[in-house]
Amino acid sequence: MTTTTTGAAVPTERVDAHAKVTGALRYGADRNPLGVLHAAFAIARVPKGRIARLDIANAEAVPGVRLVLTHESDPGVKSGGFIMGGGYGFQSRQPLTDDRIAYWGQPIALVVADTLVAANEAAALVEAVYETEDSSLDLDAPGAETLVQAEAIPLPFLADVVIGDADTVLGECAVQVDSVFDLPVQHQNPMELIHTVVEWRGDTLVVHEGTQNSGAVRNGLATQLGIDPAQVEVISPSAGGAFGQKNSLQPHTCLAAVAARRLDRPVKLVLTREQCFHAASFRPLSRHRVRLGADAAGVLRAAVYEIDQQTSRHDLFPATYTDIASRLYGIPHFRGRQRLVRTDVQTPGYMRAPHEHPAAFAIESAVDEVAYAAGIDPVALRLANDTATDPVTGHPFSSRYLAECLRRGADRFGWSRRSPEPGSMRAADGTEIGWGVAGGAYPAHTVAAVARARVEADGTVRVEAGGHEMGQGIRTAIVRTVAADLGIPTDTITVVVGDTRSVPQHLTAGSWGTASALPVVVDALAELRRELGVPAQGPVDLAAAVAALGGAPVEVETTRTAPGQPPESLDQLRRGLVALAGPEYPQFSSYSWIAHFVEVRIEATTRRVRVSRVVSVADCGRVVSPRTAESQVRGGVVWGIGATLREATEVDPRYGGFLNTSLEEYPVPVNADLLADIHVEFIDEPDSLLNGPGVKGLGEVSMVGVAPAVANAVFHATGHRIRRLPIRLEDLL
Ligand code: MOS
C-alpha cells in the first residue's frame, strides 16, 4: 500500500475505473465527427500473385458510395517503413500502391460511403481477377526461404548467443535431453478492433486511433503523405487493448486520410474481426530444438537452443528467443541459433511476451525433463541452477529474486505435499491431478522519455508523459506516484498520455511503459518543487505555493535517458522512432522474474484439462500500483492458460489465409473455463540500480512460464510430455 508523505493512503482503484464500467470512457472509434463518412476494405482472397483485373463499377453504383480507392486510382502514398527496420509501420508493404498481392487478406480497395452498411455492401461487390502464384505458408512449405538471422540482420543484439563450448560439453553430460517444441500462429485479439477516425482541419490531419505508438503514427503518416509531422495530430488517450497489435503505424490509416482529403469529410474505418487477423501483426509460427546437459546432481552444464521462426517475404521480424533462455539459469556453456523463415503472410510481430512465452515453453519444459531424468525435484533443480551473474555479459543482474519467487510460491502452493511420480495423484473419481512449476523472465528495457508538470492557481496538477494507456494502468500508476509524492488527492491530478499535442510520445510496449514514464515524472516533480521553492520532500500546499509566486501557472519539463543511453536517443524519440536501452546496461543486466505453480485436473473419460489452482510470485521491482499490478499478473496467467489449452490460428494450407477468424472459432478463455483460484504475490523490492522509483516491467513477464507450468503439470498428471501447443484432448487419449 502506497502512502502519501502525510501518511494518508492513496486509493488503489484504477483512476479510469468508473468511466470504464459506466461506458463514459471514449475510445478512438467512438468518435463521430460531424459529417463523418464510413470506410470499408475489400480484401484479396488469394495468398499471392497480382491483380489482373479490378472491377469497381458495381461497388460504385451502390447508393451512398462516395469513393472507391484502389491502386489504379493511385492514392499517392509511400510505405511507412518497417518498425524493426528504422521505419514506422508493422510492415513495410503498403497496400493499394501496386497490383501485387503479398498475402491473403491484403486490402485491394477502400470504399467510402455515407453509411457503414453501404460501405460494406459496396466492398463486397468489388470484383478482382488474379494471376496467382505458388505460396509458402508454413515452416516446411516448398518455397519457404530459411535465413540465419545473425547473417541476415547483422546487428549485435540479434547475434547468436554463444558462451563457452556448449556442443562439446553437452556430449559429456551425465543427463542429456533433446526435445523439439512447436508453437502455433496466434493473434492478439484485443476487444477493440483496429480502427481510425481521421479528419483534416485545414492542412492539419487529426487522427483519433487507439494505438501504443502515437509518435510513430504521426511521423509515419507525415512520411507517407509527404507532409510535415507538425501537420499531424494523433490523439489516443485510451486503447481498448493492444498487446503488440497496435504497436506501430497501420497501413490503412494513410488511405483513410487520403479519402478524407479527396472528399473533404472526416472518415472512420473500423476493420472487421476477420480483417484484423490478416491486416495486422500476429505471433508467428516457431519451432524450438532444445538440448540440455546436466550432471547427475541436476546442475545444468550446457544448452544448445535452435529456433526457426516464421517471417514475411517483405520484412525480417527479428527473433530474440535466446535472450531469456540464456539467463534463466547459470548455464556456463550456451549456444543459441535463430533462423527466420520467409513465408507469404503479412509481417508477423510482437504479441504479449512475443519471444519469451515460446522460449519459456521450450526451455522450462526441457528443464522439467532434466529434473525427471535426474530424479530431482523441479523446484530444487531450479534453485540449484540460480545465478546472480548474467551468464552472457558477466555483469550482475540489477535485481533478481527468481529463487525467492520459487521458494515463496512453493510454500504458498504447498509444493512439499507433491508426490513426484507421474499419475500418482488422483481424485476419488479417477480425475488425474498434476502439479507443475516453471519460471519466467522478461527484459527490463527503458526508453528515452519526456515529462511535463504544470500547477494551476487552484493547486490542480496536470502531468504529461510519454506513454499510452491500453488498459494496463499507466495512468493509474502515474496518478498514484504524483499523489504520494506531493501529498495531494488523486482527483486533483490530470494525466495526459498518448497525445502528440503534448510531450513526445514513445512506443509503449515491451513492458517498458511504466518503468520509463515514472522516473521522468518523478524528475519532473522534483523540478516542480524547485521551481515552486518548496522543500524537496513532504506534502505541498500547491495553491499557496503558486500564489506566493504571483499566481501564474507554473510549468516544468524534464527529459530522461536510461543508464548508458546516448543523448541522441531523445532525438530518435522526437522523430517517433524506437529509442530503446537495456536489458544490458553498462554495469548490469535487468530483467523481471516470475515463478508459476499450477494444478491441473484431467477428467478420466473426456480427457478435458482444467487448471484448478495457480500461484504466481513476481519480481517486477517496486510495485507502484498494487491493484493494476495484480490484475496484470492475473490476466497474464489467464492468457497463458489460453495459450496452452486453447489458442491457435489455423492456417489454410491450400488457399492461404487464416481460417478461424472470429472469437467463436478462435477460443480464448472465458469465465467458465477459469475455475482456477489464481493467487498473485509480489516480491516488491525496488530495483534501485535501474531507476529512482525502482520499477521494472510486469505486463509481459506475467504470462512467461505459464505454458510450461501447465504442460509440466499435465506430464505430472498423465506421464504424457506434450511439446506442441495448444495441448488438445487428443494428445491425452
Ligand atoms: Mo508488446 S507485445 O511489446 O506490446
Side-chain angles (χ1 to χ4, degrees):
M1 174 107 247
T2 311
T3 52
T4 66
T5 45
T6 57
V10 179
T12 56
E13 291 91 76
R14 283 177 187 271
V15 295
D16 45 10
H18 189 264
K20 279 193 169 203
V21 299
T22 56
L25 194 67
R26 305 287 298 234
Y27 295 92
D30 292 334
R31 308 268 320 172
N32 288 304
L34 196 66
V36 71
L37 300 172
H38 298 267
F41 273 130
I43 60 174
R45 299 194 181 266
V46 297
K48 191 175 185 179
R50 58 173 289 274
I51 302 169
R53 197 168 59 77
L54 202 53
D55 187 348
I56 60 171
N58 289 339
E60 286 179 321
V62 172
V65 167
R66 303 265 176 163
L67 177 69
V68 180
L69 202 58
T70 71
H71 70 280
E72 290 170 349
S73 47
D74 188 16
V77 295
K78 289 198 294 241
S79 164
F82 177 41
I83 190 158
M84 294 308 288
Y88 299 103
F90 94 85
Q91 64 175 4
S92 60
R93 173 107 189 109
Q94 173 61 45
L96 270 59
T97 52
D98 59 25
D99 61 359
R100 296 288 313 162
I101 301 299
Y103 52 92
W104 198 102
Q106 179 187 310
I108 56 170
L110 182 76
V111 177
V112 185
D114 290 341
T115 65
L116 182 58
V117 172
N120 282 335
E121 184 185 342
L125 293 173
V126 172
E127 285 170 39
V129 176
Y130 303 96
E131 282 170 14
T132 57
E133 296 166 21
D134 290 342
S135 58
S136 315
L137 300 164
D138 64 45
L139 299 176
D140 304 311
E145 186 193 358
T146 302
L147 306 170
V148 174
Q149 174 167 292
E151 294 163 6
I153 325 175
L155 292 173
F157 83 102
L158 298 176
D160 291 340
V161 175
V162 178
I163 318 163
D165 182 2
D167 294 86
T168 304
V169 175
L170 191 65
E172 298 163 354
C173 286
V175 178
Q176 294 180 36
V177 161
D178 184 349
S179 295
V180 175
F181 300 87
D182 283 289
L183 287 99
V185 169
Q186 294 180 332
H187 281 77
Q188 293 92 336
N189 278 304
M191 280 171 67
E192 180 192 56
L193 298 165
I194 292 175
H195 64 276
T196 194
V197 180
V198 297
E199 185 177 357
W200 289 89
R201 293 191 193 143
D203 286 336
T204 299
L205 176 64
V206 180
V207 180
H208 284 89
E209 177 176 322
T211 178
Q212 301 167 251
N213 201 348
S214 50
V217 175
R218 174 198 221 178
N219 286 276
L221 283 171
T223 302
Q224 293 192 288
L225 299 168
I227 58 178
D228 194 286
Q231 289 170 260
V232 185
E233 293 175 356
V234 182
I235 303 160
S236 187
S238 291
F243 313 115
Q245 195 186 52
K246 295 176 183 144
N247 71 6
S248 44
L249 177 67
Q250 308 281 350
H252 60 256
T253 303
C254 66
L255 300 173
V258 168
R261 187 152 58 182
R262 289 195 186 174
L263 296 167
D264 198 20
R265 294 273 290 273
V267 170
K268 180 195 287 203
L269 173 65
V270 182
L271 270 57
T272 65
R273 183 63 67 181
E274 180 195 29
Q275 288 171 354
C276 288
F277 277 80
H278 294 103
S281 75
F282 61 94
R283 191 193 300 284
L285 281 170
S286 63
R287 181 184 299 148
H288 308 241
R289 183 180 180 197
V290 181
R291 280 173 281 171
L292 293 180
D295 66 18
V299 175
L300 292 163
R301 303 269 303 126
V304 176
Y305 181 25
E306 296 167 306
I307 306 101
D308 284 351
Q309 177 204 271
Q310 175 184 34
T311 188
S312 67
R313 288 287 174 196
H314 41 277
D315 296 307
L316 296 174
F317 169 54
T320 54
Y321 301 95
T322 54
D323 183 274
I324 66 154
S326 55
R327 273 128 168 158
L328 270 173
Y329 303 107
I331 308 176
H333 299 273
F334 186 100
R335 181 172 67 77
R337 192 228 50 206
Q338 307 184 100
R339 298 195 306 188
L340 303 175
V341 183
R342 287 190 190 272
T343 61
D344 298 299
V345 291
Q346 77 268 29
T347 303
Y350 295 91
M351 170 165 154
R352 197 178 193 176
H355 300 109
E356 296 73 14
H357 152 68
F361 175 60
I363 297 293
E364 286 291 84
S365 294
V367 164
D368 203 61
E369 294 183 55
V370 171
Y372 273 94
I376 294 165
D377 174 78
V379 174
L381 181 128
R382 285 174 169 82
L383 291 172
N385 286 286
D386 193 24
T387 175
T389 304
D390 178 350
V392 179
T393 62
H395 291 142
F397 289 113
S398 57
S399 62
R400 173 176 164 125
Y401 292 94
L402 178 58
E404 183 60 24
C405 293
L406 285 161
R407 280 194 210 98
R408 201 194 287 187
D411 191 45
R412 294 289 183 277
F413 191 81
W415 186 259
S416 61
R417 298 195 306 275
R418 178 179 183 264
S419 76
E421 285 312 308
S424 63
M425 291 170 63
R426 260 170 220 254
D429 66 355
T431 297
E432 291 161 333
I433 299 171
W435 290 4
V437 62
Y442 195 89
H445 289 291
T446 312
V447 296
V450 181
R452 200 178 285 154
R454 177 186 171 94
V455 189
E456 304 294 333
D458 63 2
T460 58
V461 177
R462 172 186 162 99
V463 173
E464 298 174 8
H468 296 79
E469 176 67 63
M470 51 251 195
Q472 85 279 33
I474 194 170
R475 191 175 266 114
T476 303
I478 294 173
V479 166
R480 289 177 54 75
T481 300
V482 175
D485 185 294
L486 299 175
I488 58 174
T490 53
D491 61 5
T492 63
I493 303 161
T494 305
V495 168
V496 178
V497 290
D499 191 328
T500 62
R501 297 170 303 178
S502 69
V503 294
Q505 293 295 313
H506 196 283
L507 165 61
T508 306
S511 298
W512 61 63
T514 302
S516 300
L518 279 190
V520 75
V521 167
V522 168
D523 290 350
L525 296 177
E527 181 65 22
L528 186 66
R529 285 171 177 274
R530 279 190 290 275
E531 202 67 27
L532 290 170
V534 300
Q537 281 175 358
V540 185
D541 184 338
L542 290 169
V546 173
L549 291 173
V554 176
E555 184 174 293
V556 298
E557 185 177 299
T558 49
T559 62
R560 194 172 184 281
T561 51
Q565 193 172 29
E568 303 82 71
S569 57
L570 285 164
D571 302 328
Q572 264 172 283
L573 157 67
R574 291 178 202 282
R575 283 188 291 141
L577 298 169
V578 181
L580 194 60
E584 294 175 21
Y585 297 93
Q587 315 285 333
F588 50 80
S589 299
S590 293
Y591 286 81
S592 293
W593 310 93
I594 199 162
H596 300 285
F597 293 79
V598 167
E599 176 182 278
V600 297
R601 289 173 175 259
I602 302 171
E603 289 171 3
T605 50
T606 65
R607 314 308 286 152
R608 179 166 70 161
V609 182
R610 309 201 89 167
V611 174
S612 44
R613 209 154 61 84
V614 180
V615 171
S616 300
V617 184
D619 163 21
C620 61
R622 192 161 74 85
V623 177
V624 289
S625 175
R627 176 84 55 102
T628 54
E630 191 179 325
S631 296
Q632 270 285 22
V633 178
R634 186 165 285 122
V637 168
V638 170
W639 191 318
I641 294 169
T644 313
L645 300 176
R646 293 280 186 279
E647 280 187 58
T649 313
E650 305 293 344
V651 179
D652 185 336
R654 299 158 305 166
Y655 304 117
F658 302 112
L659 289 166
N660 51 332
T661 55
S662 69
L663 289 180
E664 183 186 6
E665 295 190 316
Y666 183 94
V668 296
V670 297
N671 285 347
D673 294 311
L674 291 163
L675 304 180
D677 169 25
I678 301 170
H679 177 82
V680 175
E681 286 190 27
F682 295 97
I683 301 295
D684 200 9
E685 288 289 340
D687 187 325
S688 40
L689 284 177
L690 185 58
N691 55 53
V695 295
K696 302 190 283 190
L698 181 61
E700 297 177 77
V701 78
S702 60
M703 80 171 285
V704 181
V706 175
V710 173
N712 294 340
V714 168
F715 175 77
H716 180 232
T718 65
H720 290 291
R721 176 70 64 188
I722 312 299
R723 301 186 181 89
R724 187 186 62 220
L725 295 185
I727 297 172
R728 299 176 193 271
L729 298 185
E730 54 266 37
D731 294 325
L732 299 173
L733 290 174

